[in-house]
Amino acid sequence: MKDTDIKKLLYTHLLCIFSIILSVFIPSFFLENFSILETHLTWLYICSVSATAVNLVLYLVMKPNVSSKRSSLSYKVTRFLKCCIYFLTSCFFFHVIFVLYGAPLIELALETFSLAVILSTFTTVPCLCLLGPNLKAWLRIFSRNGVTSVWENSLQITTISSFVGIWLGAFPIPLDWGRPWQEWPISCTLGATFGYVAGLVISPLWIYWNRKKLTYKNN
Amino acid sequence: MQKISVLLFLAWVSFLFYAGIALFTSGFLLTRWELTNHSSCQEPPGPGALPWGGRGEPGACWMASRFSRLVLVVIDALRFDFAQPQRSPVSGEPPVSLPFLGKMGFLQRLLESQPHHARLYQAKADPPTTTMQRLKALTTGSLPTFVDAGSNFASSAIVEDNLIKQLSSTGKRVVFMGDETWNDLFPGVFSQALFFPSFNVRDLETVDNGIMKHLYPTMDSDKWDVLITHFLGVDHCGHKHDPYHPEMARKLTQMDKMIQGLVKRLKNDTLLVVTGDHGMTVSGNHGGDSELETSAALFLYSPRALFPSAPAEEPEIIPQISLVPTLALLLGLPIPFGNIGEVIVEVFSEIEDSQPRSSALAQASALHLNAQQVSRFLHTYSATAQDLQVQELHRLQKLFSKASADYQRLLQSPQGAEAALQTVIPELQQFLRGVRAMCIESWARFSLLRMAGGAALLAATCFLCLLVSQWASSPAFCFGPLLKPMASGLSGAMVCAGLLASTGLKLDSVVLGVMAAVGSLLPFLWKAWASWGSKSPLASLLPMPGPVLLLLLIRFAGFFSDSYIITEARVAPFLLISLTLLLVARLHWEGKLLPPKLLSIPRLGFLTPTGPPQYSAMHAMGLGVGLLLCVRLAGLFYRCHEETPVCSSSPLLSPLRSTVDGRAKNLWYGACVGALVALLASVRLWLRCYGNLKSPEPPVLFVRWGLPLMGLGTAAYWALASGADEAPPRLRALVSGASVMLPRAVAGLAASGLMLLLWRPVTVLVKATTGAPRTRTVLTPFSGPPTSQADLDYVVPQIYRHIQEEFRGRLERTKSQGLLTVAACQLGSVYSAAVVTALTLLAFPLLLLHAERISLVFLLLFLQSFLLLHLLAAGIPITTPGPFTVPWHAVFAWALMATQTFYTTGHQPVFSAIQWHAAFVGVSESHDFTWLSAFLVGANTFASHILFAVGCPLLLLWPFLCENQGSRKRRQPPGNEAEARVRPEEEQEPRMEMRLRDAPHHFSAALLQLGLKYLFVLGIQILACVLAASILRRHLLVWKVFAPKFIFEAMGFIVSSVGLCLGIALVMRVDGAVSSWFRQLVLTQQKAGEQSSLVYTGAGSSARKAQPHLLPPCSQDLLASGTSLFYNSRS
Ligand SMILES: [Zn+2]
Ligand SMILES: [Zn+2]
């Protein structure tokens, strides 16, 4: 049971990584002058959309969580709207956090918000896919002994590694190297992306190595 | 005894750090050697005939004198472009009109009308561009080094050979008027002198007007050969306003007029030199090495024709010290021995002789003399010190001998040596420039041994802090083993030093201190080494939790990057915010947060019976977000580091005086006073909340009445200071008098408040009430025999309490019903109340030293430390009866906040950012520089270090303070499952800080641990600075970034360690007072002979129910004397 779960997890994660890599290369065929550094925001949004899409599709296909019994259309619509609201809220929340962290308040507001969008893509969207708009469950996952499945465990790892990545991404900013990627928010975006990808790679491995120790309440 | 040993130990550890810092400093901040050799007329600088037969002529020395008199006008901070002639604007281009441009019209007219008499140069000053260093350079012709920048305070006479000494030794009458610094540099040299204090940078007129009054009469009197004047108005105008202020135009015009008057009075044999000692930045400051600071104007004028050709379009750029050999040779003096400047060759042309060849020969001979002197100096210097690069030295010596040979050949064959003449001058110049470059390169000399020793000592002391703080948190900790090696080592080192001193070995104090430090440190480390096996080594090595260790490492690594040091004002808040978020996240992760009400669900397997106390998630989130907001808001007060390329300092840092808009000024004034009132109100509110405002003790009365008075005084002072320029002339004297007296009054009030606090630190209201308190046995169930020491620690008090209860029950039964209950309020917060009061009292005088709008930062400072303490307290379990621990993350966050506040109060670790105006707060304008001024400037610079170091004990006290609130919080949601579980625990009293008192041994150990941890975090920063400065000592920015950072960090460490000891001593004083208070109470009870019971109350008001409790030692006699002791909780 668990091994198949881990295998599934690995494949979905590989797909996610693949989508992110594609978002770097595919647009250059359609868009002129496309590069991560120069047309950074374009890449950012393309990456965000593709990652969201892949996540959605994967979770719809895999259905890792027990699907709700109610499946009326109105329920689905309200659920979807709720998800959207949650996503936007998380974007604004992250934006506020970035500003508190020292990002400029008025200048570069679009850049800061875009960073919030991509961080939300890497953290909030998987949460929404897996757990739905359910803050209680979110809080549960991010506490000790709170995870109840392989999926939740990997979600925990990828989210934390995204946060760590974006945090580490802020470190090159003050250095006087004068590189283009040191500009706000490029290094943070890249950091978040690398963190997310690293989380995607690490989590199946980590779960695999620790599969003996991990005991989930529900399994 | 324990208390004293805690303080002693902390002082000793601080001493170890000081010794390390001193050792490193003595190796790192070395200067070049100062040679005391002097040049003399009788002794030519080298072999070979002197030109014009030198010695024979009367009045001539190495060279015949061309001028018998000199007027040297030093206009402080006369930047090159201040004196630069303004070209008539090209058509189509708008004319540039700045207050400092084109204001010296007379100079310009002289340059245009008499191109052979006047010349303007752009003189390049060497950093540091501080006045004293520049004056040293302008008279010795040498390169002042970095350390001299620090000795600007205690000016000392120049020991090296210099122009002034040469002038007076050849019998010239030197008359001086102007800046007092000259008196310190050349004491007793002038035949007539008029000194004016230089430190009051607010005063643009006194010095200049004083000089002007005497200048022309002296000029006319003919009682002088050399007249030196040093005007300060332009420099002070830069410091007070900036070069763009209209005042600058006025000052420059005044200087121009003064020069006009001088030129009118010049005689034919007199040379006029007008020079700036340095420039100024756009903000009007100087000290560094930026283009604007180092470019000074140098203007030469002679009534006789001096220059063979008309000046070039753009004034020539020459090193500032070129003036020294030039003046020496022009006046017929020997060039000062240590000069490495190069003569300005064009003034040595023979104007009367129209032959170009003899002109060039005259130039070559002047240059050759100059080169001989420099070569002689190099020779002497390299024999004394080995710090010059040997290869370069050889190359230069070869160059010199070749040039010298060429020159000799030239002299011997005067005919047909045109080509030789053309090569000799460039060769000599090349040599002189090579020497200058080599000296600049080499005169930052390091003693690697001392640097390494200092770093090693610092590292060992940091390790010691880590080790002992780890020991101190173990329950079986005792003080004896700590003091023994320390005392034996110290005394051993003393004896050693005494023996060495008696044998006549010369030891400087640094070496002595280091010997004492190492001697006392080694037994300690030996002991640690010996006990290595018995203790688990890994746990003692890495006591920090991973994330904190990571953050600490990042902070440590940051000191090695100049970018991170320059942007530390933003890096420190970044780390602080990260730590805050980490704390909140960890609280959630560990399930210590109750979910918000709307989300409350039964938790899955979190609630173990011994589960930690839980806090509302909203509460923690609120604290975290509030803290973040405070940090971000404080970040608005930002001063640029001088190395930041594009950056503008926050206008909020400037004093209100400089605000032009009256409405804005009033609004800001209102905001500042509002911040002040809010600060006062919040402190009072806090004290009232913990019930410390009720007692009739003098400190409480002071808090009630003295603090508002201090606030009033501060507000009045701000009003006067910000509006002083607008005061009507009649009231000016009154206003200036009041603005001197008000800060003194506030400081006096603060000092008296602190005295009161030290005298009667226990602010307890004792209420006598009748009626026996209800008693109940509380014996927390404990199953099975105790297995560990912790269990024993838990059980024994319970048993003791039980016995005590029984005893009192018997007493009560036998005695009459009418018991007298003595209720003592606020005992639970007695320590922190004293610390908070002391901090507030300290904050006011410190606030006065800053610009008005910094009061907002001070408000944020108090607010954010309050929030941080609350947040930290949420994560710290109270372990009674000890040992108490202060977690690392708390100490680290505290140190980070101190750093952050250093920056938000408008400081930067560079010398040009020192806020000198603080020296004039409460000091009358005519006051010159003293140690008081140094103290005021120091207090201004290290205000945040002082406040946070003194407030450090709050880290230990606050969790106990919050115990009260925790229980209140827990009571709120009734019927909760969690609530039911913690109820038995909650029934206990919030004894708060009395828990500390009840375990005096652990209390002392915790204070020691806290102090050591704080010293460790600060010591790590020093260690990082030291390592960075030594590893990057050849870095381009070492003197601009790393060395100033090290000096500021070291000073901050010293201030912090003293503040820390004072803070801990204050807590101990309160502890002692509480003990004596208990004792007194017992005595009075005994005297009254009544059976009474004592009720402590925490923050609360009336006694609800009394609980028995483990008695502190002194109150055991209470029990013995038939008096019962109770703690009581609030209702
Ligand atoms: Zn100066
Ligand atoms: Zn100055």
Side-chain angles (χ1 to χ4, degrees):
Chain A
M1 177 65 194
K2 223 183 211 177
D3 280 350
T4 55
D5 257 1
I6 294 175
K7 230 173 243 171
K8 265 197 216 166
L9 188 75
L10 183 66
Y11 293 141
T12 54
H13 281 188
L14 284 180
L15 269 177
C16 281
I17 295 171
F18 191 60
S19 77
I20 286 176
I21 293 173
L22 278 189
S23 76
V24 177
F25 292 109
I26 294 293
S28 54
F29 295 116
F30 305 105
L31 298 170
E32 269 183 45
N33 300 328
F34 177 85
S35 77
I36 291 185
L37 295 186
E38 265 135 61
T39 53
H40 185 69
L41 291 190
T42 321
W43 170 75
L44 191 152
Y45 284 110
I46 290 172
C47 179
S48 168
V49 167
S50 68
T52 311
V54 168
N55 259 309
L56 270 177
V57 169
L58 282 176
Y59 281 109
L60 282 180
V61 171
M62 309 292 284
K63 284 207 171 48
N65 53 344
V66 194
S67 58
S68 167
K69 278 158 203 159
R70 293 164 60 191
S71 53
S72 69
L73 186 69
S74 66
Y75 174 75
K76 276 184 176 164
V77 167
T78 47
R79 198 177 154 87
F80 179 73
L81 283 179
K82 245 184 165 179
C83 282
C84 288
I85 291 170
Y86 267 62
F87 181 77
L88 278 179
T89 316
S90 91
C91 287
F92 282 112
F93 175 75
F94 285 137
H95 188 109
V96 169
I97 293 285
F98 295 153
V99 169
L100 288 179
Y101 247 113
L105 183 64
I106 298 160
E107 317 143 46
L108 302 175
L110 178 67
E111 277 80 356
T112 311
F113 189 75
S114 309
L115 181 63
V117 167
I118 194 115
L119 187 61
S120 298
T121 309
F122 293 148
T123 57
T124 316
V125 168
C127 283
L128 282 171
C129 288
L130 187 66
L131 305 167
N134 181 355
L135 207 58
K136 278 183 280 180
W138 294 16
L139 286 175
R140 170 175 57 82
I141 284 193
F142 296 105
S143 53
R144 184 178 284 166
N145 309 325
V147 287
T148 55
S149 71
V150 171
W151 298 96
E152 289 179 358
N153 208 334
S154 82
L155 180 65
Q156 192 188 44
I157 291 172
T158 51
T159 308
I160 290 176
S161 67
S162 300
F163 283 135
V164 170
I166 198 170
W167 185 72
L168 288 177
F171 280 92
I173 294 176
L175 295 171
D176 57 356
W177 298 342
R179 300 292 160 84
W181 50 266
Q182 278 177 289
E183 251 167 60
W184 177 255
I186 298 178
S187 59
C188 283
T189 324
L190 296 182
T193 313
F194 283 126
Y196 179 59
V197 170
L200 289 178
V201 174
I202 290 169
S203 59
L205 299 177
W206 190 83
I207 291 169
Y208 182 74
W209 288 120
N210 292 297
R211 65 189 185 282
K212 299 260 164 57
K213 285 182 217 157
L214 293 172
T215 48
Y216 301 118
K217 289 256 151 59
N218 294 8
N219 289 21
Chain B
M1 189 57 216
Q2 274 173 2
K3 293 177 201 164
I4 291 176
S5 53
V6 166
L7 276 182
L8 266 182
F9 193 76
L10 284 178
W12 175 66
V13 171
S14 305
F15 162 73
L16 292 184
F17 275 116
Y18 299 162
I21 291 171
L23 186 64
F24 178 81
T25 310
S26 71
F28 177 63
L29 294 179
L30 264 189
T31 54
R32 68 198 163 85
W33 294 85
E34 289 188 320
L35 298 181
T36 49
N37 304 39
H38 282 70
S39 302
S40 70
C41 272
Q42 287 71 40
E43 197 183 343
L50 286 168
W52 297 283
R55 278 182 192 171
E57 277 178 53
C61 198
W62 292 359
M63 206 170 181
S65 74
R66 301 189 165 207
F67 293 93
S68 54
R69 305 215 287 181
L70 166 73
V71 178
L72 173 61
V73 180
V74 179
I75 299 176
D76 209 287
L78 184 70
R79 203 163 75 190
F80 171 66
D81 53 353
F82 292 180
Q84 194 178 18
Q86 288 311 103
R87 286 189 220 108
S88 48
V90 187
S91 58
E93 215 176 292
V96 194
S97 144
L98 290 173
F100 56 82
L101 281 185
K103 291 296 177 299
M104 308 200 80
F106 178 71
L107 285 192
Q108 185 167 353
R109 263 174 282 141
L110 269 188
L111 286 170
E112 279 161 9
S113 61
Q114 297 181 306
H116 294 279
H117 297 251
R119 191 60 47 96
L120 178 71
Y121 296 99
Q122 181 173 356
K124 276 283 156 208
D126 300 294
T129 47
T130 46
T131 299
M132 189 155 107
Q133 267 61 48
R134 291 297 87 222
L135 292 183
K136 266 187 177 176
L138 272 174
T139 50
T140 61
S142 184
L143 299 170
T145 48
F146 182 77
V147 187
D148 299 338
S151 64
N152 212 340
F153 291 122
S155 321
S156 51
I158 296 181
V159 293
E160 288 178 298
D161 192 10
N162 60 68
L163 270 185
I164 310 296
K165 213 170 265 180
Q166 291 292 349
L167 283 169
S168 69
S169 68
T170 47
K172 304 238 179 202
R173 291 162 298 170
V174 186
V175 175
F176 176 81
M177 43 189 79
D179 187 351
E180 206 179 31
T181 315
W182 287 74
N183 191 26
D184 303 325
L185 291 176
F186 311 102
V189 178
F190 304 111
S191 68
Q192 192 189 329
L194 200 63
F195 298 116
F196 297 93
S198 59
F199 195 71
N200 187 359
V201 293
R202 298 250 189 95
D203 178 2
L204 307 189
E205 308 301 340
T206 311
V207 183
D208 294 5
N209 291 347
I211 300 174
M212 290 304 290
K213 210 167 119 194
H214 299 276
L215 181 60
Y216 298 142
T218 315
M219 274 288 281
D220 297 332
S221 74
D222 265 356
K223 280 181 192 157
W224 57 278
D225 296 307
V226 174
L227 176 61
I228 303 174
T229 58
H230 188 151
F231 291 89
L232 287 173
V234 174
D235 175 63
H236 287 186
C237 181
H239 287 300
K240 187 182 177 185
H241 310 288
D242 59 45
Y244 298 91
H245 197 274
E247 279 285 286
M248 188 55 97
R250 191 178 64 77
K251 287 312 293 184
L252 289 176
T253 315
Q254 186 192 4
M255 289 296 114
D256 194 47
K257 287 242 173 63
M258 180 269 299
I259 295 167
Q260 191 169 7
L262 280 179
V263 168
K264 235 186 275 168
R265 291 170 171 80
L266 280 185
K267 302 236 168 77
N268 242 354
D269 62 342
T270 313
L271 175 69
L272 170 69
V273 178
V274 179
T275 182
D277 55 346
H278 47 74
M280 60 172 75
T281 59
V282 280
S283 61
N285 293 314
H286 54 90
D289 63 347
S290 67
E291 172 68 24
L292 288 177
E293 284 163 287
T294 53
S295 85
L298 172 59
F299 176 79
L300 299 183
Y301 176 78
S302 141
R304 277 202 316 243
L306 184 62
F307 300 95
S309 59
E313 186 79 352
E314 276 297 312
E316 199 184 335
I317 300 175
I318 57 169
Q320 195 182 35
I321 51 175
S322 298
L323 190 61
V324 176
T326 312
L327 283 185
L329 291 183
L330 285 179
L331 292 172
L333 301 170
I335 302 176
F337 189 87
N339 163 65
I340 53 168
E342 169 196 337
V343 289
I344 306 171
V345 283
E346 55 182 337
V347 301
F348 292 94
S349 323
E350 299 277 305
I351 305 293
E352 287 82 11
D353 197 337
S354 56
Q355 268 194 343
R357 187 175 178 284
S358 71
S359 213
L361 197 62
Q363 289 181 358
S365 62
L367 260 181
H368 185 247
L369 266 180
N370 188 191
Q372 275 184 320
Q373 167 265 324
V374 170
S375 165
R376 180 180 68 174
F377 165 70
L378 268 196
H379 195 260
T380 320
Y381 188 86
S382 56
T384 323
Q386 275 73 46
D387 54 355
L388 294 178
Q389 292 165 4
V390 181
Q391 286 178 342
E392 182 68 4
L393 201 61
H394 280 305
R395 191 184 75 78
L396 287 171
Q397 271 163 353
K398 244 179 253 163
L399 193 62
F400 172 70
S401 41
K402 179 170 179 294
S404 202
D406 284 351
Y407 175 73
Q408 296 300 341
R409 218 172 312 131
L410 187 73
L411 284 186
Q412 264 130 43
S413 62
Q415 289 87 27
E418 285 298 321
L421 196 58
Q422 289 313 309
T423 57
V424 165
I425 292 182
E427 269 176 355
L428 289 170
Q429 280 177 335
Q430 204 187 341
F431 165 70
L432 288 169
R433 281 165 203 176
V435 172
R436 236 175 71 78
M438 177 181 68
C439 291
I440 289 174
E441 172 71 23
S442 305
W443 278 342
R445 205 180 74 106
F446 307 109
S447 160
L448 286 180
L449 189 69
R450 287 187 168 212
M451 284 163 73
L457 187 54
L458 285 176
T461 315
C462 282
F463 178 68
L464 174 86
C465 285
L466 204 61
L467 206 67
V468 179
S469 66
Q470 202 58 19
W471 287 349
S473 59
S474 67
F477 174 73
C478 51
F479 286 93
L482 282 189
L483 292 176
K484 259 181 244 158
M486 172 185 132
S488 63
L490 266 182
S491 51
M494 292 289 174
V495 169
C496 264
L499 283 178
L500 280 176
S502 64
T503 53
L505 221 65
K506 229 174 116 184
L507 284 173
D508 56 352
S509 50
V510 171
V511 176
L512 269 183
V514 169
M515 274 173 51
V518 173
S520 49
L521 183 60
L522 280 181
F524 231 102
L525 294 179
W526 174 250
K527 192 171 172 296
W529 178 254
S531 65
W532 193 264
S534 63
K535 302 200 180 214
S536 60
L538 263 181
S540 74
L541 264 184
L542 276 184
M544 275 176 250
V548 179
L549 193 66
L550 177 73
L551 286 178
L552 197 62
L553 274 180
I554 289 171
R555 177 135 176 75
F556 185 81
F559 283 96
F560 289 83
S561 155
D562 54 302
S563 309
Y564 272 85
I565 293 178
I566 290 171
T567 54
E568 200 188 15
R570 301 208 186 272
V571 173
F574 181 88
L575 293 180
L576 184 61
I577 289 175
S578 303
L579 194 60
T580 311
L581 290 180
L582 195 74
L583 281 179
V584 177
R586 213 186 58 176
L587 279 180
H588 171 72
W589 177 262
E590 287 173 357
K592 285 185 186 171
L593 292 182
L594 282 178
K597 261 183 207 160
L598 64 157
L599 291 173
S600 60
I601 40 154
R603 281 171 172 265
L604 295 164
F606 297 137
L607 271 175
T608 46
T610 54
Q614 301 208 340
Y615 297 86
S616 154
M618 293 317 275
H619 179 62
M621 277 292 282
L623 288 176
V625 170
L627 185 55
L628 259 58
L629 206 63
C630 283
V631 172
R632 180 71 169 104
L633 283 179
L636 294 179
F637 293 78
Y638 174 69
R639 187 195 190 95
C640 293
H641 194 281
E642 59 180 15
E643 290 298 315
T644 333
V646 269
C647 170
S648 53
S649 298
S650 159
L652 298 176
L653 291 173
S654 58
L656 276 185
R657 185 161 29 84
S658 62
T659 313
V660 185
D661 182 10
R663 217 178 114 78
K665 191 189 263 191
N666 288 342
L667 277 178
W668 273 116
Y669 179 73
C672 294
V673 175
L676 207 62
V677 171
L679 181 60
L680 277 178
S682 53
V683 169
R684 277 191 64 155
L685 193 70
W686 184 85
L687 286 174
R688 177 176 300 160
C689 174
Y690 287 97
N692 290 68
L693 265 186
K694 288 183 197 136
S695 104
E697 294 285 329
V700 174
L701 291 180
F702 188 85
V703 167
R704 290 168 75 103
W705 303 110
L707 276 186
L709 208 60
M710 281 163 72
L712 207 65
T714 312
Y717 171 69
W718 285 344
L720 288 182
S722 59
D725 296 343
E726 294 146 29
R730 279 182 296 132
L731 291 179
R732 240 172 226 169
L734 188 70
V735 165
S736 65
S739 59
V740 169
M741 288 318 294
L742 277 173
R744 288 188 194 177
V746 172
L749 270 176
S752 55
L754 284 173
M755 285 296 145
L756 277 179
L757 192 66
L758 281 180
W759 177 47
R760 303 288 290 274
V762 182
T763 53
V764 168
L765 172 66
V766 181
K767 258 194 301 207
T769 52
T770 48
R774 281 194 295 129
T775 58
R776 260 176 57 193
T777 314
V778 176
L779 194 60
T780 310
F782 190 88
S783 53
T787 50
S788 67
Q789 181 65 36
D791 286 345
L792 271 177
D793 284 347
Y794 181 65
V795 168
V796 170
Q798 296 284 349
I799 296 170
Y800 179 57
R801 188 178 295 178
H802 189 67
I803 296 169
Q804 175 198 332
E805 178 104 22
E806 297 274 296
F807 179 55
R808 205 199 36 243
R810 251 184 294 138
L811 266 176
E812 239 174 287
R813 257 176 270 123
T814 52
K815 301 294 170 189
S816 62
Q817 286 288 309
L819 275 178
L820 183 70
T821 311
V822 181
C825 299
Q826 312 102 16
L827 259 183
S829 61
V830 65
Y831 298 109
S832 44
V835 176
V836 169
T837 312
L839 283 179
T840 318
L841 288 175
L842 273 178
F844 269 91
L846 292 178
L847 181 53
L848 274 182
L849 295 175
H850 286 85
E852 292 89 346
R853 279 175 276 195
I854 298 294
S855 58
L856 296 166
V857 177
F858 271 68
L859 177 65
L860 284 173
L861 180 163
F862 272 78
L863 207 61
Q864 83 190 46
S865 32
F866 175 79
L867 291 172
L868 179 74
L869 283 169
H870 253 71
L871 189 62
L872 290 172
I876 302 171
I878 299 164
T879 50
T880 30
F884 313 110
T885 48
V886 183
W888 279 103
H889 57 79
V891 179
F892 183 50
W894 200 248
L896 270 181
M897 209 182 260
T899 309
Q900 183 229 347
T901 311
F902 172 76
Y903 287 105
T904 55
T905 46
H907 298 100
Q908 277 285 348
V910 284
F911 292 108
S912 61
I914 293 178
Q915 300 176 358
W916 297 110
H917 65 77
F920 301 104
V921 176
V923 177
S924 55
E925 297 266 311
S926 60
H927 200 273
D928 52 338
F929 189 82
T930 54
W931 287 109
L932 177 70
S933 315
F935 174 76
L936 290 176
V937 172
N940 165 285
T941 307
F942 298 107
S944 74
H945 293 80
I946 297 171
L947 285 178
F948 279 93
V950 172
C952 209
L954 288 179
L955 288 174
L956 173 66
L957 302 173
W958 213 269
F960 295 93
L961 212 59
C962 287
E963 178 190 16
N964 186 24
Q965 290 189 337
S967 66
R968 194 193 299 162
K969 283 265 140 50
R970 269 177 278 149
R971 207 170 293 137
Q972 268 169 1
N976 195 334
E977 192 191 341
E979 156 76 4
R981 300 226 187 198
V982 289
R983 180 154 281 162
E985 206 180 322
E986 181 233 300
E987 292 285 336
Q988 267 189 19
E989 293 315 305
R991 278 188 283 147
M992 297 161 69
E993 289 169 4
M994 282 301 111
R995 285 180 194 274
L996 287 168
R997 219 200 86 74
D998 293 344
H1001 178 79
H1002 291 308
F1003 188 18
S1004 301
L1007 281 177
L1008 177 70
Q1009 181 204 22
L1010 170 72
L1012 287 176
K1013 281 182 174 174
Y1014 196 61
L1015 284 181
F1016 172 80
V1017 173
L1018 297 180
I1020 277 289
Q1021 296 178 14
I1022 284 283
L1023 182 65
C1025 280
V1026 159
L1027 290 178
S1030 42
I1031 292 169
L1032 302 168
R1033 63 186 180 279
R1034 294 290 176 204
H1035 191 277
L1036 181 68
L1037 293 176
V1038 68
W1039 299 117
K1040 289 190 211 162
V1041 174
F1042 294 107
K1045 177 68 185 164
F1046 162 68
I1047 292 172
F1048 273 78
E1049 203 65 46
M1051 295 293 293
F1053 178 85
I1054 292 170
V1055 171
S1056 294
S1057 59
V1058 171
L1060 181 73
C1061 288
L1062 289 181
I1064 288 179
L1066 175 69
V1067 171
M1068 288 172 168
R1069 165 78 190 108
V1070 179
D1071 194 41
V1074 170
S1075 295
S1076 64
W1077 180 83
F1078 270 115
R1079 225 167 286 136
Q1080 225 161 20
L1081 203 66
V1082 174
L1083 282 179
T1084 50
Q1085 297 297 320
Q1086 277 175 340
K1087 260 184 209 150
E1090 285 177 62
Q1091 302 300 326
S1092 3
S1093 56
L1094 175 68
V1095 183
Y1096 302 153
T1097 66
S1101 36
S1102 67
R1104 189 187 56 162
K1105 56 190 176 204
Q1107 295 279 326
H1109 133 80
L1110 175 65
L1111 295 178
C1114 77
S1115 47
Q1116 282 174 11
D1117 3 36
L1118 269 175
L1119 202 66
S1121 67
T1123 312
S1124 318
L1125 184 72
F1126 298 93
Y1127 276 115
N1128 193 22
S1129 75
R1130 314 151 307 96
S1131 62

